[in-house]
Amino acid sequence: MNTLYSTLLLVFLMMTSYFGVYCQNEGNVAKLPVLMSIPPVATLSLAGDSLNFSIKGKGTSQVITPNFAGTTWLNYTSVVEENSTNLISANLTTVDLPAEVIIKLKVGMATGAGYGQKGVSVGTITLSNYPQTIITNIGTCFTGQGANMGHQLNFQWVLHPNYDEDLLKEYNLKDLKVGVTYTISRND
Amino acid sequence: MNRLKCLITFFLLIFMHGITFGVITRSYAYTIRIKNIKLIRVVGPSTINLVINTSIAGSSIMSATFARDSSSYLQMTSIVPENVQRRIIVTAKDGAIPTGMKLELSAGECFTGLGDLGNVKISPVPLEVNIGKDLITGIGSCYTGTSGYRLTYSFGPDPNYVGTIMFNTQNYVSIVYTLTE
């Protein structure tokens, strides 16, 4: 019998804890608190016609070659804190790039659909193993998904002005594959 | 002895006359008063938690991130004077709705109870701080029973102000329901 009473009490407590009248009720007035939360958002991805490799998330990578002629588009969604912005940086993830070879990355201005405070391109940078900012001042926004949305990325492979031709012959430039990683982060 | 019989017969006749014809009519006036009743309450969790979320890069903040909650119910009992209809007004108070965001409320049809349960607004009601808005109108004498109107809260970006949305971990507002004429 005690077990029965305990079970009934437990069921009652469970019911009241989930579905009891918790709001403030006073005659013809009832009140209920609502908590609204907006988490920070910072996601980016790549879109284009000849991507070798792409991972969605805060860090996104692709593999490019000297013959890479496709066009890449950088898509992102961002929700920032007040008085704060996000930025996107890029860096090479392959360390065996010949010193005679320079890869330039040209970042276009945001185009296509989307809404909000989209970022500003820094223009053209020379990629290195260290992250460099390519897009700044990203507020709360989204660029839209897919090609022709967001920022267009163009790569240019050039030889160093004072390159050593003999050293360069040691490399098979056609077989070069270089990884590029993009990261969206808070601009502290 | 004859005199005694006559006396008994006389009294019997008087007594029977009284039974047969002595109907006494009394009138009592009763005043039945039905109280003017207006009671409402909301049952459900102690706090409604609404968190927007998006994880697809480039996707619209507007479409993918509306947070919804339908776990609370509005119950009421109402007895109205003749030719009077009531309504339930909903007001956001004691807080603020985050910039660039919309907080909307809708009430589903009430399938329990009896009486003149009124008409719920077909479109979700956009809530504004300190501005009362009709949620249910045309309420007469009724009761909702133990279920009531299912309330659905919807929290998401306002398409016209997406760029102004800011990361915000906590933002409270009280939703006040008032049953009134």
Side-chain angles (χ1 to χ4, degrees):
Chain A
M1 202 63 179
N2 283 337
T3 310
L4 178 65
Y5 283 133
S6 302
T7 308
L8 287 172
L9 182 64
L10 184 64
V11 170
F12 174 76
L13 287 173
M14 286 171 69
M15 287 173 70
T16 51
S17 64
Y18 177 71
F19 224 74
V21 181
Y22 284 102
C23 66
Q24 295 174 31
N25 299 303
E26 293 174 9
N28 68 321
V29 177
K31 203 171 179 182
L32 182 67
V34 173
L35 173 62
M36 297 160 283
S37 305
I38 305 168
V41 177
T43 58
L44 64 85
S45 67
L46 298 172
D49 50 11
S50 57
L51 295 176
N52 293 71
F53 183 52
S54 175
I55 303 170
K56 290 178 179 176
K58 283 196 174 182
T60 297
S61 299
Q62 71 173 142
V63 176
I64 58 171
T65 67
N67 298 320
F68 179 75
T71 303
T72 303
W73 294 85
L74 198 55
N75 303 157
Y76 53 87
T77 296
S78 165
V79 175
V80 296
E81 201 172 347
E82 198 167 358
N83 300 321
S84 172
T85 56
N86 286 331
L87 59 81
I88 295 174
S89 60
N91 65 285
L92 295 174
T93 49
T94 306
V95 291
D96 58 349
L97 183 71
E100 292 77 10
V101 176
I102 294 170
I103 304 173
K104 291 189 174 181
L105 170 60
K106 183 183 176 189
V107 182
M109 296 304 288
T111 58
Y115 197 91
Q117 186 186 326
K118 287 182 270 190
V120 178
S121 163
V122 298
T124 303
I125 64 158
T126 300
L127 285 169
S128 71
N129 292 327
Y130 298 100
Q132 294 176 78
T133 300
I134 57 170
I135 299 168
T136 61
N137 204 29
I138 301 170
T140 295
C141 67
F142 65 93
T143 59
Q145 292 174 266
N148 303 312
M149 302 285 184
H151 298 258
Q152 187 176 12
L153 306 177
N154 283 306
F155 298 93
Q156 188 185 6
W157 296 63
V158 293
L159 293 174
H160 198 280
N162 302 315
Y163 72 94
D164 187 332
E165 198 169 341
D166 293 331
L167 275 174
L168 195 61
K169 283 178 183 173
E170 294 178 13
Y171 294 97
N172 187 353
L173 291 179
K174 287 183 180 177
D175 290 339
L176 273 180
K177 287 185 178 179
V178 175
V180 184
T181 295
Y182 306 91
T183 307
I184 185 167
S185 58
R186 183 175 159 167
N187 185 17
D188 288 320
Chain B
M1 195 63 180
N2 282 340
R3 187 178 286 177
L4 181 63
K5 282 181 182 174
C6 286
L7 202 61
I8 290 169
T9 306
F10 174 73
F11 280 113
L12 272 173
L13 283 171
I14 288 174
F15 180 68
M16 287 173 70
H17 181 266
I19 288 173
T20 310
F21 304 104
V23 177
I24 298 167
T25 303
R26 288 193 175 90
S27 296
Y28 295 95
Y30 292 96
T31 302
I32 299 171
R33 186 162 167 261
I34 301 172
K35 280 183 74 177
N36 182 359
I37 294 173
K38 43 182 176 182
L39 295 168
I40 62 169
R41 66 179 180 181
V42 177
V43 293
S46 55
T47 304
I48 303 293
N49 282 300
L50 299 166
V51 183
I52 65 161
N53 193 23
T54 185
S55 58
I56 303 169
S59 68
S60 164
I61 303 166
M62 290 178 288
S63 60
T65 59
F66 264 80
R68 288 187 173 81
D69 183 287
S70 300
S71 60
S72 56
Y73 289 81
L74 180 70
Q75 300 174 348
M76 70 169 169
T77 299
S78 168
I79 295 177
V80 294
E82 200 171 356
N83 299 322
V84 169
Q85 286 193 325
R86 288 182 177 147
R87 58 193 175 133
I88 290 176
I89 297 172
V90 62
T91 314
K93 284 186 176 175
D94 308 329
I97 297 165
T99 307
M101 302 296 288
K102 286 196 300 185
L103 178 61
E104 295 181 331
L105 176 66
S106 59
E109 292 289 338
C110 180
F111 297 109
T112 55
L114 274 176
D116 198 354
L117 287 158
N119 310 303
V120 296
K121 289 284 177 188
I122 297 169
S123 303
V125 177
L127 298 174
E128 292 180 58
V129 176
N130 293 329
I131 298 176
K133 298 200 172 174
D134 286 345
L135 182 67
I136 304 167
T137 56
I139 298 167
S141 291
C142 64
Y143 69 97
T144 57
T146 52
S147 182
Y149 303 92
R150 189 176 196 183
L151 301 171
T152 299
Y153 296 88
S154 179
F155 175 61
D158 186 330
N160 300 316
Y161 302 99
V162 169
T164 64
I165 297 167
M166 293 293 161
F167 154 63
N168 192 327
T169 52
Q170 283 191 339
N171 215 313
Y172 270 103
V173 72
S174 289
I175 307 302
V176 180
Y177 299 86
T178 308
L179 175 60
T180 185
E181 274 76 27

Short mmCIF file of all heavy atoms in Angstrom, two decimals, chain A residues 102-158:
data_model
loop_
_atom_site.label_atom_id
_atom_site.label_comp_id
_atom_site.label_asym_id
_atom_site.label_seq_id
_atom_site.Cartn_x
_atom_site.Cartn_y
_atom_site.Cartn_z
N ILE A 102 54.52 32.03 -56.06
CA ILE A 102 53.66 32.90 -55.25
C ILE A 102 52.21 32.69 -55.69
O ILE A 102 51.93 32.64 -56.91
CB ILE A 102 54.04 34.39 -55.43
CG1 ILE A 102 55.43 34.65 -54.86
CG2 ILE A 102 53.01 35.31 -54.78
CD1 ILE A 102 55.98 36.03 -55.22
N ILE A 103 51.35 32.55 -54.72
CA ILE A 103 49.92 32.44 -55.06
C ILE A 103 49.22 33.68 -54.54
O ILE A 103 49.26 33.98 -53.35
CB ILE A 103 49.29 31.17 -54.43
CG1 ILE A 103 50.05 29.93 -54.87
CG2 ILE A 103 47.82 31.07 -54.83
CD1 ILE A 103 49.59 28.67 -54.17
N LYS A 104 48.59 34.36 -55.46
CA LYS A 104 47.85 35.56 -55.08
C LYS A 104 46.35 35.22 -55.07
O LYS A 104 45.86 34.51 -55.94
CB LYS A 104 48.12 36.70 -56.04
CG LYS A 104 49.55 37.23 -55.91
CD LYS A 104 49.75 38.48 -56.71
CE LYS A 104 51.16 39.05 -56.42
NZ LYS A 104 51.40 40.29 -57.14
N LEU A 105 45.70 35.76 -54.11
CA LEU A 105 44.25 35.54 -53.98
C LEU A 105 43.55 36.89 -54.08
O LEU A 105 43.81 37.80 -53.28
CB LEU A 105 43.94 34.87 -52.63
CG LEU A 105 42.46 34.79 -52.25
CD1 LEU A 105 41.66 33.98 -53.27
CD2 LEU A 105 42.30 34.19 -50.86
N LYS A 106 42.67 36.96 -55.05
CA LYS A 106 41.87 38.18 -55.21
C LYS A 106 40.46 37.90 -54.70
O LYS A 106 39.80 36.96 -55.15
CB LYS A 106 41.83 38.60 -56.68
CG LYS A 106 41.10 39.89 -56.92
CD LYS A 106 41.03 40.20 -58.42
CE LYS A 106 40.20 41.47 -58.66
NZ LYS A 106 39.94 41.65 -60.08
N VAL A 107 40.03 38.72 -53.76
CA VAL A 107 38.70 38.53 -53.15
C VAL A 107 37.78 39.64 -53.63
O VAL A 107 38.07 40.82 -53.45
CB VAL A 107 38.81 38.56 -51.61
CG1 VAL A 107 37.44 38.32 -50.97
CG2 VAL A 107 39.82 37.55 -51.10
N GLY A 108 36.69 39.25 -54.24
CA GLY A 108 35.75 40.23 -54.76
C GLY A 108 34.84 40.77 -53.67
O GLY A 108 34.81 40.27 -52.54
N MET A 109 34.11 41.80 -54.00
CA MET A 109 33.13 42.35 -53.05
C MET A 109 31.90 41.44 -53.02
O MET A 109 31.64 40.70 -53.95
CB MET A 109 32.71 43.77 -53.49
CG MET A 109 33.86 44.79 -53.47
SD MET A 109 34.69 44.91 -51.87
CE MET A 109 33.44 45.76 -50.91
N ALA A 110 31.18 41.55 -51.93
CA ALA A 110 29.99 40.68 -51.77
C ALA A 110 28.96 41.00 -52.83
O ALA A 110 28.64 42.16 -53.08
CB ALA A 110 29.41 40.87 -50.38
N THR A 111 28.47 39.95 -53.46
CA THR A 111 27.44 40.13 -54.49
C THR A 111 26.32 39.12 -54.26
O THR A 111 26.41 38.26 -53.39
CB THR A 111 28.02 39.92 -55.90
OG1 THR A 111 28.57 38.60 -55.96
CG2 THR A 111 29.07 40.94 -56.24
N GLY A 112 25.33 39.20 -55.10
CA GLY A 112 24.23 38.22 -55.05
C GLY A 112 23.19 38.59 -54.03
O GLY A 112 22.99 39.76 -53.70
N ALA A 113 22.54 37.56 -53.55
CA ALA A 113 21.44 37.77 -52.61
C ALA A 113 21.98 38.05 -51.21
O ALA A 113 23.07 38.59 -51.06
CB ALA A 113 20.54 36.55 -52.61
N GLY A 114 21.24 37.66 -50.23
CA GLY A 114 21.69 37.87 -48.86
C GLY A 114 21.17 39.17 -48.30
O GLY A 114 20.45 39.92 -48.96
N TYR A 115 21.55 39.40 -47.05
CA TYR A 115 21.03 40.58 -46.36
C TYR A 115 21.94 40.89 -45.18
O TYR A 115 22.64 40.03 -44.69
CB TYR A 115 19.61 40.28 -45.87
CG TYR A 115 18.82 41.52 -45.51
CD1 TYR A 115 18.04 42.16 -46.46
CD2 TYR A 115 18.87 42.04 -44.23
CE1 TYR A 115 17.33 43.31 -46.14
CE2 TYR A 115 18.16 43.17 -43.89
CZ TYR A 115 17.40 43.80 -44.86
OH TYR A 115 16.70 44.93 -44.54
N GLY A 116 21.87 42.12 -44.75
CA GLY A 116 22.60 42.52 -43.55
C GLY A 116 23.95 43.12 -43.86
O GLY A 116 24.26 43.46 -45.01
N GLN A 117 24.76 43.24 -42.82
CA GLN A 117 26.07 43.86 -42.96
C GLN A 117 27.09 42.83 -43.42
O GLN A 117 27.76 42.19 -42.61
CB GLN A 117 26.50 44.49 -41.63
CG GLN A 117 27.80 45.27 -41.73
CD GLN A 117 28.28 45.76 -40.38
OE1 GLN A 117 27.47 46.09 -39.52
NE2 GLN A 117 29.59 45.81 -40.18
N LYS A 118 27.18 42.68 -44.75
CA LYS A 118 28.16 41.75 -45.30
C LYS A 118 29.55 42.38 -45.22
O LYS A 118 29.68 43.61 -45.11
CB LYS A 118 27.79 41.39 -46.74
CG LYS A 118 26.57 40.46 -46.79
CD LYS A 118 26.21 40.05 -48.19
CE LYS A 118 25.24 41.02 -48.81
NZ LYS A 118 24.67 40.57 -50.08
N GLY A 119 30.56 41.53 -45.30
CA GLY A 119 31.92 42.01 -45.08
C GLY A 119 32.49 42.78 -46.26
O GLY A 119 31.90 42.84 -47.34
N VAL A 120 33.67 43.37 -46.00
CA VAL A 120 34.37 44.16 -47.01
C VAL A 120 35.66 43.43 -47.38
O VAL A 120 36.44 43.03 -46.51
CB VAL A 120 34.71 45.56 -46.46
CG1 VAL A 120 35.47 46.38 -47.49
CG2 VAL A 120 33.42 46.28 -46.05
N SER A 121 35.88 43.27 -48.67
CA SER A 121 37.08 42.58 -49.14
C SER A 121 38.30 43.47 -48.97
O SER A 121 38.23 44.69 -49.14
CB SER A 121 36.91 42.22 -50.61
OG SER A 121 38.17 41.91 -51.19
N VAL A 122 39.44 42.84 -48.66
CA VAL A 122 40.68 43.62 -48.56
C VAL A 122 41.35 43.73 -49.93
O VAL A 122 42.37 44.38 -50.07
CB VAL A 122 41.67 42.99 -47.55
CG1 VAL A 122 41.07 42.98 -46.16
CG2 VAL A 122 42.09 41.59 -47.99
N GLY A 123 40.81 43.03 -50.91
CA GLY A 123 41.38 43.10 -52.25
C GLY A 123 42.19 41.86 -52.57
O GLY A 123 41.68 40.75 -52.48
N THR A 124 43.46 42.07 -52.88
CA THR A 124 44.33 40.95 -53.25
C THR A 124 45.42 40.77 -52.20
O THR A 124 46.03 41.74 -51.76
CB THR A 124 44.98 41.22 -54.63
OG1 THR A 124 43.94 41.42 -55.59
CG2 THR A 124 45.83 40.03 -55.06
N ILE A 125 45.64 39.53 -51.83
CA ILE A 125 46.71 39.23 -50.87
C ILE A 125 47.61 38.14 -51.46
O ILE A 125 47.21 37.44 -52.39
CB ILE A 125 46.17 38.74 -49.50
CG1 ILE A 125 45.43 37.41 -49.68
CG2 ILE A 125 45.29 39.78 -48.84
CD1 ILE A 125 45.33 36.60 -48.40
N THR A 126 48.78 38.03 -50.91
CA THR A 126 49.66 36.92 -51.26
C THR A 126 49.53 35.88 -50.15
O THR A 126 49.79 36.17 -48.98
CB THR A 126 51.13 37.40 -51.36
OG1 THR A 126 51.20 38.40 -52.38
CG2 THR A 126 52.06 36.25 -51.69
N LEU A 127 49.10 34.70 -50.54
CA LEU A 127 48.84 33.67 -49.53
C LEU A 127 50.14 33.20 -48.88
O LEU A 127 51.17 33.05 -49.55
CB LEU A 127 48.14 32.48 -50.17
CG LEU A 127 46.65 32.68 -50.51
CD1 LEU A 127 46.14 31.54 -51.38
CD2 LEU A 127 45.82 32.78 -49.24
N SER A 128 50.07 32.94 -47.60
CA SER A 128 51.21 32.38 -46.88
C SER A 128 50.70 31.36 -45.88
O SER A 128 49.49 31.11 -45.80
CB SER A 128 51.97 33.50 -46.15
OG SER A 128 51.18 33.96 -45.05
N ASN A 129 51.61 30.81 -45.14
CA ASN A 129 51.18 29.82 -44.14
C ASN A 129 50.52 30.48 -42.92
O ASN A 129 49.92 29.80 -42.10
CB ASN A 129 52.37 28.99 -43.67
CG ASN A 129 52.89 28.11 -44.79
OD1 ASN A 129 52.11 27.66 -45.62
ND2 ASN A 129 54.20 27.90 -44.83
N TYR A 130 50.67 31.77 -42.83
CA TYR A 130 50.06 32.48 -41.72
C TYR A 130 48.71 33.07 -42.14
O TYR A 130 48.61 33.62 -43.24
CB TYR A 130 50.99 33.60 -41.23
CG TYR A 130 52.30 33.07 -40.73
CD1 TYR A 130 53.43 33.11 -41.54
CD2 TYR A 130 52.40 32.49 -39.47
CE1 TYR A 130 54.64 32.59 -41.10
CE2 TYR A 130 53.62 31.97 -39.03
CZ TYR A 130 54.72 32.02 -39.84
OH TYR A 130 55.91 31.49 -39.41
N PRO A 131 47.72 32.96 -41.28
CA PRO A 131 46.40 33.49 -41.66
C PRO A 131 46.44 35.00 -41.91
O PRO A 131 47.04 35.75 -41.13
CB PRO A 131 45.53 33.17 -40.42
CG PRO A 131 46.26 32.09 -39.71
CD PRO A 131 47.72 32.32 -39.96
N GLN A 132 45.83 35.38 -43.00
CA GLN A 132 45.72 36.81 -43.33
C GLN A 132 44.24 37.13 -43.55
O GLN A 132 43.51 36.35 -44.14
CB GLN A 132 46.48 37.12 -44.62
CG GLN A 132 47.97 36.96 -44.50
CD GLN A 132 48.63 37.19 -45.86
OE1 GLN A 132 48.80 38.34 -46.29
NE2 GLN A 132 48.99 36.13 -46.54
N THR A 133 43.89 38.30 -43.07
CA THR A 133 42.49 38.71 -43.21
C THR A 133 42.18 38.99 -44.68
O THR A 133 42.92 39.70 -45.35
CB THR A 133 42.23 39.98 -42.38
OG1 THR A 133 42.51 39.67 -41.01
CG2 THR A 133 40.77 40.42 -42.52
N ILE A 134 41.09 38.39 -45.16
CA ILE A 134 40.67 38.66 -46.53
C ILE A 134 39.33 39.41 -46.58
O ILE A 134 39.03 40.10 -47.54
CB ILE A 134 40.59 37.37 -47.38
CG1 ILE A 134 39.61 36.35 -46.74
CG2 ILE A 134 41.96 36.77 -47.58
CD1 ILE A 134 39.31 35.17 -47.64
N ILE A 135 38.51 39.24 -45.53
CA ILE A 135 37.22 39.95 -45.47
C ILE A 135 37.05 40.50 -44.05
O ILE A 135 37.22 39.76 -43.08
CB ILE A 135 36.04 39.03 -45.84
CG1 ILE A 135 36.21 38.51 -47.28
CG2 ILE A 135 34.71 39.76 -45.71
CD1 ILE A 135 35.27 37.39 -47.64
N THR A 136 36.73 41.75 -43.93
CA THR A 136 36.59 42.38 -42.61
C THR A 136 35.18 42.94 -42.42
O THR A 136 34.40 43.00 -43.37
CB THR A 136 37.60 43.54 -42.43
OG1 THR A 136 37.30 44.52 -43.42
CG2 THR A 136 39.02 43.06 -42.59
N ASN A 137 34.95 43.39 -41.19
CA ASN A 137 33.73 44.15 -40.86
C ASN A 137 32.44 43.38 -41.18
O ASN A 137 31.48 43.95 -41.69
CB ASN A 137 33.75 45.49 -41.60
CG ASN A 137 32.91 46.53 -40.90
OD1 ASN A 137 32.75 46.48 -39.67
ND2 ASN A 137 32.34 47.45 -41.65
N ILE A 138 32.42 42.11 -40.87
CA ILE A 138 31.22 41.30 -41.10
C ILE A 138 30.31 41.46 -39.89
O ILE A 138 30.69 41.15 -38.76
CB ILE A 138 31.57 39.80 -41.28
CG1 ILE A 138 32.52 39.62 -42.47
CG2 ILE A 138 30.30 38.97 -41.47
CD1 ILE A 138 33.11 38.23 -42.58
N GLY A 139 29.12 41.96 -40.13
CA GLY A 139 28.14 42.11 -39.06
C GLY A 139 27.18 40.94 -39.06
O GLY A 139 27.53 39.82 -39.40
N THR A 140 25.95 41.22 -38.69
CA THR A 140 24.92 40.19 -38.76
C THR A 140 24.39 40.17 -40.19
O THR A 140 23.88 41.17 -40.68
CB THR A 140 23.79 40.50 -37.77
OG1 THR A 140 24.33 40.40 -36.45
CG2 THR A 140 22.65 39.51 -37.92
N CYS A 141 24.54 39.03 -40.84
CA CYS A 141 24.17 38.95 -42.25
C CYS A 141 24.16 37.52 -42.74
O CYS A 141 24.54 36.61 -42.02
CB CYS A 141 25.18 39.74 -43.10
SG CYS A 141 26.81 38.99 -43.08
N PHE A 142 23.72 37.35 -43.96
CA PHE A 142 23.93 36.09 -44.69
C PHE A 142 24.13 36.45 -46.15
O PHE A 142 23.61 37.45 -46.64
CB PHE A 142 22.75 35.14 -44.49
CG PHE A 142 21.45 35.63 -45.06
CD1 PHE A 142 21.07 35.28 -46.34
CD2 PHE A 142 20.62 36.45 -44.32
CE1 PHE A 142 19.86 35.73 -46.88
CE2 PHE A 142 19.43 36.92 -44.84
CZ PHE A 142 19.04 36.57 -46.13
N THR A 143 24.94 35.62 -46.83
CA THR A 143 25.29 35.94 -48.21
C THR A 143 24.43 35.22 -49.23
O THR A 143 24.45 35.57 -50.41
CB THR A 143 26.75 35.54 -48.49
OG1 THR A 143 26.88 34.13 -48.23
CG2 THR A 143 27.72 36.30 -47.61
N GLY A 144 23.70 34.22 -48.80
CA GLY A 144 23.05 33.32 -49.75
C GLY A 144 23.97 32.14 -50.00
O GLY A 144 25.16 32.17 -49.68
N GLN A 145 23.41 31.09 -50.56
CA GLN A 145 24.16 29.86 -50.74
C GLN A 145 24.43 29.58 -52.21
O GLN A 145 23.57 29.80 -53.05
CB GLN A 145 23.38 28.67 -50.18
CG GLN A 145 23.23 28.68 -48.67
CD GLN A 145 22.32 27.56 -48.23
OE1 GLN A 145 21.13 27.75 -48.06
NE2 GLN A 145 22.88 26.38 -48.07
N GLY A 146 25.63 29.07 -52.49
CA GLY A 146 25.95 28.60 -53.84
C GLY A 146 26.79 29.58 -54.63
O GLY A 146 27.25 30.61 -54.13
N ALA A 147 26.99 29.24 -55.91
CA ALA A 147 27.79 30.08 -56.81
C ALA A 147 27.09 31.41 -57.02
O ALA A 147 25.86 31.51 -56.93
CB ALA A 147 28.00 29.37 -58.13
N ASN A 148 27.89 32.40 -57.29
CA ASN A 148 27.40 33.78 -57.51
C ASN A 148 26.78 34.40 -56.26
O ASN A 148 26.04 35.37 -56.34
CB ASN A 148 26.39 33.83 -58.66
CG ASN A 148 26.97 33.28 -59.95
OD1 ASN A 148 28.08 33.65 -60.33
ND2 ASN A 148 26.26 32.38 -60.60
N MET A 149 27.06 33.81 -55.13
CA MET A 149 26.61 34.36 -53.84
C MET A 149 27.84 34.62 -52.97
O MET A 149 28.73 33.77 -52.90
CB MET A 149 25.70 33.37 -53.10
CG MET A 149 24.47 32.95 -53.88
SD MET A 149 23.25 34.27 -53.89
CE MET A 149 21.93 33.45 -54.74
N GLY A 150 27.86 35.74 -52.31
CA GLY A 150 28.98 36.02 -51.42
C GLY A 150 30.15 36.66 -52.15
O GLY A 150 29.96 37.51 -53.03
N HIS A 151 31.35 36.23 -51.79
CA HIS A 151 32.56 36.84 -52.35
C HIS A 151 33.23 35.88 -53.34
O HIS A 151 33.47 34.72 -53.00
CB HIS A 151 33.55 37.17 -51.22
CG HIS A 151 33.02 38.16 -50.23
ND1 HIS A 151 33.38 39.49 -50.23
CD2 HIS A 151 32.14 38.01 -49.21
CE1 HIS A 151 32.76 40.11 -49.24
NE2 HIS A 151 32.00 39.23 -48.60
N GLN A 152 33.57 36.40 -54.50
CA GLN A 152 34.25 35.58 -55.50
C GLN A 152 35.74 35.53 -55.18
O GLN A 152 36.35 36.55 -54.83
CB GLN A 152 34.03 36.17 -56.89
CG GLN A 152 34.56 35.30 -58.00
CD GLN A 152 34.25 35.86 -59.37
OE1 GLN A 152 33.84 37.02 -59.50
NE2 GLN A 152 34.44 35.06 -60.40
N LEU A 153 36.32 34.33 -55.32
CA LEU A 153 37.76 34.15 -55.05
C LEU A 153 38.46 33.76 -56.36
O LEU A 153 38.03 32.83 -57.04
CB LEU A 153 37.97 33.04 -54.01
CG LEU A 153 37.23 33.19 -52.67
CD1 LEU A 153 37.51 31.99 -51.78
CD2 LEU A 153 37.64 34.47 -51.96
N ASN A 154 39.53 34.45 -56.67
CA ASN A 154 40.33 34.12 -57.86
C ASN A 154 41.78 33.95 -57.46
O ASN A 154 42.33 34.78 -56.72
CB ASN A 154 40.21 35.25 -58.91
CG ASN A 154 38.89 35.19 -59.64
OD1 ASN A 154 38.53 34.17 -60.20
ND2 ASN A 154 38.17 36.30 -59.61
N PHE A 155 42.39 32.88 -57.99
CA PHE A 155 43.79 32.59 -57.66
C PHE A 155 44.68 32.89 -58.87
O PHE A 155 44.30 32.63 -60.01
CB PHE A 155 43.95 31.12 -57.27
CG PHE A 155 43.15 30.75 -56.05
CD1 PHE A 155 41.87 30.24 -56.17
CD2 PHE A 155 43.68 30.96 -54.79
CE1 PHE A 155 41.13 29.91 -55.05
CE2 PHE A 155 42.93 30.64 -53.66
CZ PHE A 155 41.65 30.12 -53.79
N GLN A 156 45.83 33.39 -58.52
CA GLN A 156 46.81 33.66 -59.58
C GLN A 156 48.15 33.12 -59.13
O GLN A 156 48.66 33.49 -58.06
CB GLN A 156 46.88 35.18 -59.83
CG GLN A 156 47.73 35.54 -61.03
CD GLN A 156 47.90 37.04 -61.18
OE1 GLN A 156 47.48 37.83 -60.33
NE2 GLN A 156 48.54 37.44 -62.26
N TRP A 157 48.71 32.20 -59.94
CA TRP A 157 50.02 31.61 -59.61
C TRP A 157 51.07 32.40 -60.38
O TRP A 157 51.02 32.47 -61.60
CB TRP A 157 50.07 30.15 -60.02
CG TRP A 157 49.10 29.26 -59.27
CD1 TRP A 157 47.77 29.34 -59.30
CD2 TRP A 157 49.46 28.20 -58.41
NE1 TRP A 157 47.22 28.37 -58.50
CE2 TRP A 157 48.24 27.65 -57.94
CE3 TRP A 157 50.67 27.66 -57.97
CZ2 TRP A 157 48.20 26.58 -57.05
CZ3 TRP A 157 50.64 26.58 -57.10
CH2 TRP A 157 49.41 26.05 -56.63
N VAL A 158 52.01 32.94 -59.66
CA VAL A 158 53.07 33.70 -60.33
C VAL A 158 54.43 33.26 -59.78
O VAL A 158 54.52 32.73 -58.66
CB VAL A 158 52.91 35.23 -60.13
CG1 VAL A 158 51.67 35.74 -60.85
CG2 VAL A 158 52.85 35.58 -58.67
#
